[in-house]
Amino acid sequence: MADFQRFYSYSHPTDVHAVRACLNDNALDLLAVGGDNRVEVLQREQAETTAPTFNVIASFYIATAVRAIAWSPRTISPSASDDWFLELVVAGADKQLRLLLKSPSKDGSPDLEQIRPFGGGLSGHHKTINDVCFCTSETYQTHCASVGDDGLIMWNLYPKPEGDEDEYDDGAANTTGRNTTNGVDGTGTDTEEEVERSLEPESRPSSRVPRSNTNTNTNTATPGLPTRPALDAPPPQATAYIIRFPHPLHTISSHPNSASQFMVSDVRGVVCIVDWTKTTLGQESVGRPGWRGHRVVELVDPRALSDGVAGGRGKWTGGAGWKRDDKNVIGATYGSRWSVWDLRKLQGGKPIATGEGMEYGGDRFRWSPSDPHLFAISTSSPLGGASMKVYKTTSPAAPREYTILPSPHRVKDFDWLAPCVPGDHIRAWLAVAAGKQVFFVAGGEAPQNTL
């Protein structure tokens, strides 16, 4: 076991539940860390050191444990511009989402900061939220999606004012009604939405798919993007578009080269690519789950699926990741195995490669953004301690195993750091959350050719 204490760089006031590195070109040095009641934004020091070192540049108190974090593609680091901008969405243990915003003031007063809760009540999740992500394409940069035990919800964070006919794309989804966070008594419900709700009595109302806000940005730091929100003005209410799934969803990812698609994985061994702009009701038979109308492709690991159906895994879990440099490659871990699919070689949805993963069941799967040959998986079980494995696609049978802390500790979350300092061309770093600490671990060596 390596001496990981010398890599330790950050201590949080509470247990750390989520970590997420920013992959924006102008914010590669940012890392978000979520604990029992707050989210802190860390900025990496640019000096080349033995291990990454960070400074806290923002702290948001949200009064609930953090379940997941997503960076907005509009985020700009203070190291990239004096007109920097922080924008994140976090999912809380209270089944509510929050938009976190921070930007510099123009008059020398303290920086502007805002926390905007959304997704509460009838329009949001009723069960545990497991993951959240932004649309990373320029077309839908003000949209995010959350997944949980009760399905997927697409959010337009900055809808146009009520009555603006351009807010909704009627060609994309003209079969469901409009809804804000007002619940079932809000206006805009149409007959077809009532039909859809009658099929599932406990369902919440959906909204039409919101069209992207394409206003020209008046901020010179981000030309061509939607206008930044005014942090000293009342926030708009996010609109929701609900897609129901037959089983709980564990992870969701978007891809910069796929504007309207998400990759989602459920807890039973199925990974899907879904297009949230496709029509649901009207393309399906009455009574069928709404997700089928959005499905582009479905991928399965037959062994993981059979284990899930037969109860072979004590706890249904698992995670998946979308390869950032190749939208055709997807990886996942279920049970004690990992799988990789290539959409150019579907083989009936079966993986092109599989291997042995974590002995006590995989929970997270992450592709390295700096080395296309590397991916890592972790387990949420404390039986083997806080442990994880790093694989090279060129030699997947010989992973590098890390035990960060002994049992009963466990890895709550991890993420690959984006390369942003000169020494990063030598090694790829992982940020691993265990206990109240974030460990920075060298997870790989110099990048090589793509898969």
Side-chain angles (χ1 to χ4, degrees), residues 338 355-358 373-377 388-402 443:
W338 57 264
E356 291 301 317
M358 304 303 299
H373 275 300
L374 291 178
F375 66 87
I377 62 175
M388 59 187 304
K389 291 182 179 180
V390 175
Y391 294 80
K392 266 189 175 290
T393 57
T394 53
S395 54
R400 182 180 297 181
E401 186 168 3
Y402 300 89

Side-chain angles (χ1 to χ4, degrees), residues 1-327:
M1 174 177 169
D3 179 13
F4 289 102
Q5 292 299 324
R6 69 189 182 94
F7 294 133
Y8 165 66
S9 176
Y10 171 76
S11 179
H12 195 72
T14 67
D15 284 346
V16 179
H17 301 290
V19 293
R20 182 63 72 179
C22 187
L23 298 181
N24 300 354
D25 289 339
N26 50 7
L28 296 174
D29 58 348
L30 299 183
L31 178 71
V33 179
D36 282 342
N37 52 33
R38 73 183 66 243
V39 175
E40 292 191 337
V41 176
L42 313 182
Q43 183 180 15
R44 186 174 176 183
E45 294 183 359
Q46 296 301 302
E48 185 175 354
T49 57
T50 304
T53 55
F54 288 82
N55 297 310
V56 178
I57 62 171
S59 182
F60 301 90
Y61 183 79
I62 63 172
T64 189
V66 176
R67 293 281 303 170
I69 303 172
W71 282 100
S72 163
R74 304 196 298 170
T75 294
I76 298 174
S77 170
S79 64
S81 172
D82 291 335
D83 195 15
W84 50 270
F85 179 55
L86 304 181
E87 185 176 37
L88 312 88
V89 163
V90 299
D94 60 354
K95 304 179 183 64
Q96 195 170 40
L97 295 135
R98 291 164 176 84
L99 180 65
L100 311 182
L101 302 163
K102 189 170 185 177
S103 63
S105 64
K106 304 300 182 182
D107 56 4
S109 58
D111 296 335
L112 301 173
E113 184 177 300
Q114 194 172 91
I115 300 175
R116 299 181 175 180
F118 67 96
L122 294 173
S123 69
H125 289 276
H126 284 179
K127 298 182 180 180
T128 301
I129 304 175
N130 295 318
D131 203 3
V132 62
C133 78
F134 269 87
C135 292
T136 51
S137 70
E138 187 169 337
T139 308
Y140 297 108
Q141 287 191 345
T142 59
H143 294 63
C144 72
S146 55
V147 295
D149 292 353
D150 53 357
L152 182 155
I153 302 182
M154 188 73 200
W155 301 95
N156 182 358
L157 300 176
Y158 302 99
K160 291 184 179 180
E162 193 75 20
D164 189 335
E165 295 301 324
D166 289 336
E167 178 184 348
Y168 299 92
D169 187 345
D170 293 331
N174 56 9
T175 59
T176 54
R178 180 183 305 181
N179 174 59
T180 62
T181 54
N182 294 324
V184 294
D185 293 328
T187 59
T189 303
D190 59 21
T191 303
E192 288 173 330
E193 184 194 2
E194 293 172 355
V195 172
E196 185 178 14
R197 280 190 288 163
S198 69
L199 302 178
E200 300 185 31
E202 297 181 0
S203 64
R204 283 94 62 209
S206 300
S207 70
R208 296 185 194 145
V209 176
R211 178 180 293 170
S212 175
N213 185 347
T214 55
N215 291 348
T216 301
N217 187 9
T218 58
N219 190 307
T220 57
T222 52
L225 300 184
T227 305
R228 288 185 189 175
L231 301 192
D232 55 354
Q237 289 191 336
T239 54
Y241 177 63
I242 300 168
I243 303 175
R244 300 175 184 85
F245 282 74
H247 303 293
L249 300 179
H250 193 256
T251 57
I252 183 169
S253 297
S254 62
H255 201 281
N257 296 327
S258 185
S260 61
Q261 295 180 349
F262 287 107
M263 179 217 70
V264 298
S265 66
D266 69 19
V267 298
R268 299 186 62 169
V270 177
V271 180
C272 291
I273 302 294
V274 295
D275 186 336
W276 62 271
T277 63
K278 290 176 64 176
T279 305
T280 53
L281 200 68
Q283 289 188 348
E284 310 175 276
S285 300
V286 174
R288 297 181 67 189
W291 68 278
R292 295 188 182 277
H294 296 269
R295 179 182 55 183
V296 176
V297 65
E298 182 177 302
L299 310 170
V300 296
D301 180 343
R303 178 173 161 182
L305 186 60
S306 64
D307 286 349
V309 173
R313 299 198 302 273
K315 179 183 178 182
W316 286 352
T317 184
W322 207 346
K323 205 163 187 280
R324 189 173 177 84
D325 67 325
D326 188 345
K327 70 176 183 178

